[in-house]
Amino acid sequence: MASPKDSFGLNAVYTTTTFLQARQSSFDAYVANGTYSRTLSPALRLSLNATVLYVQPPFRSTQYTGGASLAWTAGPQTTASLQYSRAVFASFVVQSLPLVSDTVSASITHRVTTRLNFTASANYSHNESIPAGTLEFNSYEGTVSLGYQLSRFVTASATYTYGNFQQEFLGSRFDFQRQAVILGLSAAWPHKID
């Protein structure tokens, strides 16, 4: 039985993707999607979604995708989430193709003090082209971030990201790593809109 703790959703979408440098590889897709979420406890919420996607020729393919997520509120200072998703994207790397992506990710945010926030996240993704066998790659990525509120309207941030990418294209393998450090300063102020 449904209750105020449950929510449902249904939608249908039509998308078209055009590769300007390879118009013969452009494709259209029809998508039907259903979502469900339930509050398991005051601290725990479960969300599910399921999708049927039909990719028109020249890549004629039916894909069943979706995802699940679990969000946990450990208290006023800490939140965490665990997610899995399977989706179809347009690949613009190496060759213009639809790409099936399976991704697992986790994140946690903790308010250390009233001014200092800490966030950490990690994800693993496996991606394979339609048709299979043309393009395939795995990626691992982790991010750590600190945000400090200097004043009511000004916040400073520091973020470190590490990524490892393993790619195969027509039998050839290419691996590379990426590290990035980003320092930021942002300002926001209230503005009354008449």
Side-chain angles (χ1 to χ4, degrees), residues 142-156:
T143 299
V144 176
S145 179
L146 288 173
Y148 187 79
Q149 189 172 2
L150 299 173
S151 69
R152 184 180 176 185
F153 304 121
V154 180
T155 301

Side-chain angles (χ1 to χ4, degrees), residues 16 50 57 85 95-96 98 105 117 131 137 143 164-165:
T16 183
S85 69
Q95 190 168 349
S96 310
S105 61
N117 285 322
F137 68 90
T143 299
N164 187 302
F165 302 87

Side-chain angles (χ1 to χ4, degrees), residues 85-127:
S85 69
R86 178 178 174 86
V88 175
F89 299 101
S91 170
F92 301 100
V93 179
V94 180
Q95 190 168 349
S96 310
L97 293 168
L99 200 65
V100 180
S101 177
D102 291 281
T103 303
V104 178
S105 61
S107 67
I108 184 169
T109 299
H110 178 66
R111 181 179 290 275
V112 182
T113 69
T114 56
R115 290 179 176 268
L116 182 64
N117 285 322
F118 168 80
T119 301
S121 63
N123 69 72
Y124 164 75
S125 181
H126 173 76
N127 306 270

